[in-house]
Amino acid sequence: MAKCWIVLLTIFNGIVLSTAEVFSALSHTERVLGIELELIDALDAHIRQQETQLKVLKDFSREVRGAVKQAEKEGTSFLSHPVNSYLMIKRFVNEWPSIEKTVNQESTEEAILLAKLDVWKRRFPDEYDLKGAITAIKRLQEVYSLEPADFSEGRFGSHHGSEYMLGPRDTFTIGRYSYIEDDFEATRQWMLETLRLMDLGIGNETAYPDRAEVLDHLAFAEYKTEDVESAMIHTLELIKINPTNERARNNVIHYGEVYESNKEHFEEIKRLRKRKRPNGKHGWMGRRLQQKSLQDVNWHIERDVYKRLCRGEKLPKSPQDHKRLNCWYFTADPLCTIKRCAVERVFTDPDILIFKDIMSDSEINEVRKISEPMLNRATVHNPLTGKLETAQYRISKNCWLTKKDGNVIQKIENRIAAMTRLDLQTAEGFQVQNYGLAGHYDPHFDFSRNLSNSSLGALGTGNRLATVLLYMTKVEAGGATVFPYIGARVLPQKGDAVFWHNLLRSGEGDFRTRHAGCPVLSGIKWVANKWIHEYGNEFTRPCSLRSDE
């Protein structure tokens, strides 16, 4: 703004110097009138610019104020919704920096705001966080078979209002990211949603993406996904908006030639799109399979089973001994005498147990309080290098606790030892995990398939004999633990723990225990793991001479 006034003052100074005798000639008066008209046009343009900037600031303030009020009202459930988290991250990455540029330092209030922005912007989410938020939304879309409109309209989670959660600019951003990643099917879906929202007049129209740009992305994505007829239609619409777009003109000719050269093929694809593709029945899951047959299950089959189990679809289960699917009170240990320990067997072949109320609310709160300052991005074991590293298929943060971090850890571990009847002397530390936006862990084994070349082998305590997975929150939607090779899906209550053996009695890995943490659709997921190793448990769980037992 200061620069604008300098320009105006310079012009005014020029007027004083050059029009000292305006009254002596009409031509001079007309000349000055022309200058004044030019000045007032410049001044009006400057005022319009300031008013536009003020409107931008007001609209942004209204949006953020509404979000903050809603967050205060809903508490942690507000940010546990993936769209709300995405919108907050997007504001910090795209909009707050823009506000910083818009606001100038002509007043004390503005100077204070800029000073605060300068102090806090080091802690703003960055482009990497925004990319992660978009990836999370796409992951939820894939796993739970959601449409872009489900996110735009907030059709899941704690959102109950009538207002749209995402506007055209947001859906375009997700579509554009998908385009850069060569995910053309997702690009097509999100660009169509962008056009729908624009046609409905959702959000601030001044912030809409350029319609021609949306059509350009959409048409190419349709072409790449073999919807050539739609690609031609949207390219023609693009040409109407921008008749001089030579590339679009060439594209529509090319699309037409491709369509005419293989018309029957594209018509068949069009018919298939309208038909709902039947899901695989996966009858193999209903049989008792040999370990060898589970060692190399096709990735696409596993992925399909994993997603359908996460969605809660009914799939065949490995043969169950229904007489053993029961509940009982465990009282064989002094810790379970006064307060009996409830146990439920939810699956056989292999046995999967749920220990009820193994952690109290106060213990959970204490563990979370200890853990929060210590959380770091979770890592996985790379089988090629034997090293631990971060990976996109595991999105969470974790930390390792021991009894030195508080008596509460010792109390919980004592209960685990009592109920599993296993020795914890060689067990790993108490691992606490907090899943992030759409946090998940793709199908994996807890045991090492190559112990000598792994971080587990370096511990010198054998393989992971058993897993105890403790749930420290009740997830609003999603977040189940699934076992894709046997059709099992468990979603314990807060304070419960899931227990299973990772190894057969022969010491070989039990491939039936391959499991996954489904993405958190809505809510907050805190869990803890206790991995119990072989050494020290040779007599508590004796070996078998049969390799398949």
Side-chain angles (χ1 to χ4, degrees):
M1 183 182 285
K3 289 183 179 178
C4 294
W5 283 114
I6 290 171
V7 172
L8 289 172
L9 287 171
T10 303
I11 295 172
F12 279 124
N13 288 336
I15 294 171
V16 173
L17 292 172
S18 60
T19 59
E21 288 186 311
V22 172
F23 65 93
S24 63
L26 184 59
S27 61
H28 287 178
T29 306
E30 290 174 346
R31 206 179 303 164
V32 172
L33 179 61
I35 293 171
E36 190 170 32
L37 286 172
E38 188 174 330
L39 282 174
I40 196 65
D41 286 342
L43 182 59
D44 286 342
H46 174 70
I47 291 170
R48 286 194 298 273
Q49 181 190 36
Q50 295 299 306
E51 287 175 342
T52 300
Q53 289 182 344
L54 186 60
K55 185 178 185 303
V56 168
L57 293 174
K58 283 183 176 179
D59 289 345
F60 180 72
S61 175
R62 193 179 302 113
E63 175 191 343
V64 176
R65 180 67 62 189
V68 170
K69 284 184 177 179
Q70 194 68 18
E72 290 176 342
K73 180 181 178 182
E74 297 182 11
T76 55
S77 65
F78 179 83
L79 282 182
S80 70
H81 197 293
V83 174
N84 288 330
S85 294
Y86 159 79
L87 290 172
M88 184 187 69
I89 291 172
K90 185 204 70 170
R91 285 197 298 270
F92 278 111
V93 173
N94 291 341
E95 296 170 20
W96 276 110
S98 177
I99 293 298
E100 181 182 10
K101 293 178 182 177
T102 302
V103 177
N104 57 63
Q105 298 189 40
E106 288 201 352
S107 70
T108 304
E109 291 79 8
E110 292 167 353
I112 291 171
L113 174 59
L114 287 170
K116 288 188 175 182
L117 283 169
D118 187 57
V119 169
W120 290 109
K121 67 182 178 182
R122 299 180 187 87
R123 300 178 70 174
F124 282 6
D126 56 20
E127 288 288 342
Y128 181 79
D129 295 298
L130 180 58
K131 181 180 177 181
I134 293 172
T135 301
I137 285 177
K138 290 184 61 184
R139 182 186 309 123
L140 294 174
Q141 182 186 2
E142 177 205 357
V143 173
Y144 295 108
S145 291
L146 300 173
E147 299 293 332
D150 293 320
F151 295 91
S152 300
E153 300 181 18
R155 295 174 182 170
F156 61 90
S158 58
H159 178 72
H160 303 296
S162 59
E163 294 183 1
Y164 282 72
M165 298 189 75
L166 295 178
R169 173 60 63 181
D170 301 307
T171 54
F172 175 77
T173 298
I174 298 171
R176 171 67 182 162
Y177 171 80
S178 303
Y179 180 86
I180 293 170
E181 295 289 310
D182 290 339
D183 185 353
F184 296 113
E185 177 57 32
T187 304
R188 185 185 69 82
Q189 293 180 30
W190 285 98
M191 292 304 173
L192 284 171
E193 178 66 4
T194 302
L195 291 179
R196 185 182 79 91
L197 296 179
M198 291 172 70
D199 292 342
L200 289 173
I202 302 302
N204 181 7
E205 294 186 12
T206 59
Y208 278 8
D210 179 57
R211 190 177 187 88
E213 193 175 358
V214 177
L215 290 167
D216 196 14
H217 283 81
L218 173 59
F220 187 71
E222 288 169 331
Y223 169 69
K224 295 293 285 186
T225 54
E226 298 194 292
D227 187 3
V228 182
E229 191 175 3
S230 296
M232 288 190 290
I233 293 170
H234 287 119
T235 305
L236 288 171
E237 185 180 347
L238 168 59
I239 293 171
K240 284 183 181 179
I241 297 172
N242 185 4
T244 61
N245 190 322
E246 196 64 29
R247 182 169 56 82
R249 288 178 170 276
N250 292 333
N251 281 348
V252 78
I253 294 171
H254 174 66
Y255 296 159
E257 291 173 348
V258 171
Y259 182 77
E260 289 299 327
S261 66
N262 206 351
K263 191 172 182 178
E264 291 184 4
H265 170 71
F266 292 121
E267 287 296 324
E268 178 61 23
I269 289 175
K270 187 176 180 181
R271 285 192 292 270
L272 291 173
R273 281 184 184 274
K274 291 180 179 179
R275 247 187 275 158
K276 188 175 181 181
R277 183 180 296 179
N279 289 320
K281 295 182 179 179
H282 300 299
W284 57 272
M285 294 172 62
R287 301 190 297 271
R288 181 172 280 104
L289 300 174
Q290 297 295 318
Q291 288 288 307
K292 290 181 180 179
S293 64
L294 294 174
Q295 291 185 24
D296 296 297
V297 174
N298 180 277
W299 183 87
H300 296 286
I301 293 175
E302 178 187 81
R303 188 74 185 168
D304 181 54
V305 172
Y306 156 69
K307 291 188 289 187
R308 290 170 65 184
L309 285 173
C310 286
R311 295 194 290 265
E313 295 182 20
K314 288 186 177 180
L315 288 172
K317 296 179 180 180
S318 64
Q320 299 294 292
D321 182 353
H322 293 282
K323 292 180 180 179
R324 297 181 62 243
L325 293 173
N326 53 6
C327 303
W328 69 94
Y329 283 112
F330 177 78
T331 58
D333 189 277
L335 287 176
C336 296
T337 300
I338 298 176
K339 182 181 182 242
R340 294 181 297 176
C341 298
V343 183
E344 179 183 5
R345 184 182 288 109
V346 295
F347 211 85
T348 65
D349 192 28
D351 278 7
I352 300 175
L353 308 180
I354 294 181
F355 299 150
K356 302 289 187 178
D357 296 320
I358 198 169
M359 292 180 73
S360 67
D361 286 349
S362 61
E363 288 173 332
I364 288 171
N365 292 336
E366 190 173 348
V367 169
R368 286 180 57 174
K369 184 178 179 181
I370 296 169
S371 304
E372 282 177 344
M374 303 167 63
L375 292 174
N376 288 298
R377 176 71 184 271
T379 57
V380 297
H381 171 253
N382 185 324
L384 298 177
T385 64
K387 296 180 179 179
L388 296 174
E389 56 188 41
T390 60
Q392 283 299 314
Y393 60 82
R394 186 184 192 186
I395 304 298
S396 65
K397 288 188 174 182
N398 66 23
C399 68
W400 295 86
L401 303 180
T402 68
K403 59 185 178 182
K404 294 179 181 178
D405 294 299
N407 292 333
V408 64
I409 305 301
Q410 184 66 61
K411 290 179 181 178
I412 297 168
E413 291 192 348
N414 287 344
R415 266 180 235 129
I416 291 173
M419 297 183 75
T420 61
R421 310 301 287 169
L422 294 173
D423 192 326
L424 270 56
Q425 290 300 313
T426 61
E428 295 172 51
F430 194 78
Q431 187 198 62
V432 179
Q433 291 191 79
N434 178 215
Y435 283 78
L437 181 58
H440 71 125
Y441 195 175
D442 277 353
H444 62 282
F445 298 109
D446 277 354
F447 65 85
S448 174
R449 299 180 67 175
N450 185 6
L451 192 62
S452 60
N453 181 37
S454 72
S455 55
L456 288 180
L459 296 175
T461 54
N463 219 327
R464 286 173 171 169
L465 172 65
T467 294
V468 180
L469 174 61
L470 303 95
Y471 271 68
M472 299 197 294
T473 51
K474 179 175 173 55
V475 180
E476 187 176 333
T481 301
V482 298
F483 297 74
Y485 289 2
I486 56 175
R489 180 181 188 268
V490 293
L491 189 56
Q493 297 296 309
K494 178 182 178 183
D496 291 352
V498 187
F499 170 70
W500 68 88
H501 287 97
N502 295 304
L503 305 180
L504 299 168
R505 287 189 176 274
S506 63
E508 297 295 321
D510 188 345
F511 288 89
R512 298 171 299 175
T513 63
R514 190 166 175 83
H515 60 286
C518 296
V520 178
L521 183 58
S522 181
I524 300 170
K525 183 178 179 180
W526 281 82
V527 298
N529 287 297
K530 189 66 180 179
W531 287 299
I532 304 169
H533 282 233
E534 292 178 279
Y535 289 14
N537 288 296
E538 295 85 352
F539 299 104
T540 54
R541 191 173 188 253
C543 291
S544 170
L545 297 179
R546 292 178 52 186
S547 61
D548 61 343
E549 186 174 79

